[in-house]
Amino acid sequence: MPACHPAKDSAAFMKTSKNITRAFCVELQQELSIVAARREYFSQEPPRARFNFLCSTQACRAQGVKITGVRYDVKPQEHPTFVCAHFRANANYEHHVDCEWVDEAEPVEDMPERQETETQSAVRKAKRKLDDYIDVFDPALKERVKAQPAAARPDEGEDAKPAEVSAVSDTPKIKQSAETRTTNLERLVDSFRQAQAQLTKEEFALLSLRVPGQGEVSLRSYFRHIKFAQLGNERRVLYGGGLVERYGTGFKFKFFDRLQGKRVTLYVSPAQMQAYRSSRYISELLSHADEIRFFTVFALGTLKASPLGKSFTVEIEDLRHLAIVLGPAKNPDSAEAQ
Ligand SMILES: [Zn+2]
C-alpha cells in the first residue's frame, strides 16, 4: 500500500467500492454470479475442485486481478448466522480505474448525495447491505438447445452484464449505477433470503424488483408463502417448507402447510430431471434429506387443484424455475452440507 495518495492522473489502479456480483471463472472461462458458480461447483463429480476467479473487467483481468469467491462451496442452507455466498475483492490486488466495481463518484457515507431524498438514501443503504441486490428479474425462459454437450457453457445469459458498462477503456466513461439483472431464480432467492435475514423490516419493505411484463413490485410481495397462494398463475414465487419423496430420479415435494385445509405438492418427473442440465445439483441437495429437518422450495409456477379437488399441485414449466434450500440439520452439531 503506497504511503501517500498518488496524483489524480496517475491513479491507474484503485480499490473496488461496489459489491462485486459477477466474476470471471478461470476454469469455466466465463463470467458468472456466485450462485451460478455454486451450482457449477456442485455439478462436478466429487472430488470437487475449487474455482479461480478474476475480475470481470477486461483491463483488470489482463493484469490478473483476482477475486475471492466466498462460500460457493457450501450448499444453500437455513442457518442461524446467515452468510450468503458472495464475491469479495482480494486485498492483494488493485483494480483498473475503469473497473466496473470501482466507483469514484460513490458518495461518502453520511454525506448525502446531491438531490437524493431521504427515501432514496435509505434504499441505497439497504441495497448496499446485500451482497447481490437484484434490480431486474426476468423469468422468461429462453429456449435452449436440448442436446447440449456435457461441457456446455453454464448459465449463458442468466447473469447479463449491464448494457451500459462499456469495456472500452480509452474513452471517457460515465459510470452509471448499473442495474443488476438476472434470469436465475436461485440468485434472486439468495438475495431475498439475505434481505429477509439481515435487513430490518423497514429496510426490507423499501426494496423493489422490476419484472419484465409485470412492472415494479416490492421484493417482499414477489414472494408468497404457500399458505397464501392463489389458484392459477399468480406470477409470484411460491415458497414453503416440506419434505421430499424420491421417485427414481424424480421427486415429489410435500409442503408442510396446507392451503384451504388441503395438501399441496410439487412433482418433478424423472424425465424432467433427466432433461435438466443442473439435475446433478438438485440431486446433491436432495441427497441430504436424512440429515436435515426439511427443505424449503421456491417455485415460479402455477397452482392447480387436483382433478378430485382433494389437493393442490404447483406445476412448474421448467426446473430453472425451482430453487431448493436445505433446512437446519437434525443434529445441530453436524457439519454443514458440503
Ligand atoms: Zn476490476
Side-chain angles (χ1 to χ4, degrees), residues 7-21:
K8 203 168 186 193
D9 288 353
S10 65
F13 290 93
M14 304 184 77
K15 294 286 183 200
T16 59
S17 53
K18 297 179 178 176
N19 292 336
I20 298 168
T21 59

Side-chain angles (χ1 to χ4, degrees), residues 262-282:
K262 294 168 191 170
R263 167 76 76 194
V264 189
T265 60
L266 184 154
Y267 176 66
V268 173
S269 70
Q272 252 180 313
M273 278 289 271
Q274 277 150 25
Y276 183 48
R277 83 167 286 282
S278 299
S279 59
R280 186 196 289 269
Y281 175 56
I282 293 190

Side-chain angles (χ1 to χ4, degrees), residues 8 10 13 20 30 54 77 79 82 85 87 110 131-132 145 155 161 207 221 223 226 248 273 277 279:
K8 203 168 186 193
S10 65
F13 290 93
I20 298 168
Q30 81 160 112
L54 295 173
Q77 184 164 20
H79 203 271
F82 186 92
F87 287 119
D110 302 327
D131 294 307
D132 190 16
V145 187
D155 303 318
K161 196 171 195 145
L207 300 182
S221 73
F223 286 77
I226 196 70
M273 278 289 271
R277 83 167 286 282
S279 59

Side-chain angles (χ1 to χ4, degrees), residues 26-45:
V26 176
E27 287 74 12
L28 299 169
Q29 284 292 301
Q30 81 160 112
E31 217 179 280
L32 71 189
S33 68
I34 198 75
V35 168
R38 182 175 63 200
R39 189 159 68 191
E40 293 309 316
Y41 176 80
F42 284 109
S43 294
Q44 299 177 84
E45 210 142 354

Side-chain angles (χ1 to χ4, degrees), residues 16 55-57 59-61 65 67 94-96 98-102:
T16 59
C55 184
S56 53
T57 297
C60 296
R61 204 186 304 164
V65 174
I67 298 288
E94 298 223 329
H95 290 247
H96 193 273
D98 286 338
C99 173
E100 62 174 308
W101 311 114
V102 170

